[in-house]
Amino acid sequence: MATTIELLEESLDVMRERYRNPEHTTRDIFQGDELGTKHVKRLVGGGYLRKIIDGWYYVPFDRTEEDETEWYMFYWSFVVAYLNRKYGEDWCLGADDSLVFLSGNGVLPRQLIVRSPLAGGTILSLPLDFELLEIEADVPDEAVREKRYGLRIFPLHLALLKASPGFYRSHPREARVCLALLEDEQPLLDTAVHGGYCRGACKVAGGLRSIGELTMPD
């Protein structure tokens, strides 16, 4: 009969095999059904996995100490893995959250808004009082996948045009950073004209003037 150590080693072998699988793109995030109930139970008991939500786990940095703040390090990796599993390619962050991310703001959003035509308006509770709000909304054709985590986000010019009315007031620093990132007004102009974003274009023009840009607003 196998010992406890031998059973744990068996489960670790299963986790390593999954870890090395090239299809497993978010390496430190595991879904329970990828490993099986018995292996998850052993790995959690041994400190090799920590629970995020039911059925989802991350690999801790130190299995001997429980540190809730580790969650911050795995936040974006979990979001990507969870949404890819649930919606495939049919999701992206909202315009405001896309801009906050593009600005380089390192503060994690307490409530992250995600768009998908397959969503049902649900709120997923995450560790440390974070939430994922999944709203039923179209994903723009121009949505792009950023390189660091694989997040699907609005491109800069479209996000600026579709930003909520309160974004520039609630996130002035992020708005100024994103406006300064614009290198070419043509994508902005084309999208504003063909998409009918007149009000958004006016806000962007005003924002560009506020940071000293004189040519693009005209």
Side-chain angles (χ1 to χ4, degrees):
M1 186 173 179
T3 65
T4 301
I5 293 177
E6 288 172 335
L7 291 173
L8 180 57
E9 196 58 44
E10 176 192 359
S11 297
L12 284 169
D13 285 340
V14 171
M15 187 171 79
R16 291 186 193 107
E17 182 179 352
R18 180 57 182 151
Y19 192 93
R20 290 191 292 264
N21 189 328
E23 294 180 359
H24 191 167
T25 54
T26 48
R27 296 300 177 88
D28 295 315
I29 304 295
F30 287 87
Q31 191 170 16
D33 62 12
E34 296 176 324
L35 302 172
T37 303
K38 67 178 181 179
H39 296 302
V40 167
K41 186 175 180 180
R42 293 171 192 167
L43 293 165
V44 170
Y48 292 95
L49 288 179
R50 297 260 165 81
K51 180 180 175 181
I52 301 173
I53 59 172
D54 287 343
W56 288 88
Y57 305 86
Y58 70 87
V59 180
F61 296 113
D62 185 349
R63 69 183 185 87
T64 63
E65 292 186 17
E66 292 228 10
D67 182 2
E68 287 187 330
T69 60
E70 280 187 340
W71 157 244
Y72 297 125
M73 303 296 294
F74 296 101
Y75 177 88
W76 289 120
S77 295
F78 164 73
V79 166
V80 171
Y82 173 82
L83 293 172
N84 282 345
R85 183 64 181 262
K86 189 170 184 179
Y87 299 122
E89 295 289 306
D90 290 331
W91 67 273
C92 74
L93 301 190
D96 289 10
D97 283 321
S98 293
L99 289 171
V100 172
F101 184 84
L102 288 167
S103 74
N105 181 327
V107 179
L108 300 177
R110 282 289 169 183
Q111 185 182 73
L112 181 68
I113 298 176
V114 175
R115 301 165 60 98
S116 173
L118 307 175
T122 57
I123 297 178
L124 179 67
S125 296
L126 301 174
L128 301 182
D129 297 322
F130 284 83
E131 291 181 338
L132 186 63
L133 174 57
E134 303 165 50
I135 63 171
E136 183 179 357
D138 291 337
V139 174
D141 294 335
E142 302 95 324
V144 296
R145 188 176 292 280
E146 59 83 31
K147 295 180 180 179
R148 184 175 181 185
Y149 300 103
L151 281 168
R152 291 180 58 78
I153 59 176
F154 276 66
L156 177 61
H157 65 281
L158 183 59
L160 286 168
L161 290 170
K162 287 183 68 68
S164 68
F167 176 77
Y168 291 90
R169 293 192 300 273
S170 59
H171 294 89
R173 188 190 72 83
E174 290 79 5
R176 292 173 70 87
V177 169
C178 287
L179 288 163
L181 289 174
L182 281 172
E183 297 178 347
D184 181 4
E185 71 274 14
Q186 199 58 50
L188 192 72
L189 182 60
D190 291 343
T191 302
V193 171
H194 297 296
Y197 299 115
C198 180
R199 185 172 298 178
C202 290
K203 286 188 296 184
V204 174
L208 287 168
R209 287 195 176 92
S210 75
I211 64 170
E213 174 61 54
L214 302 178
T215 305
M216 278 193 193
D218 292 338

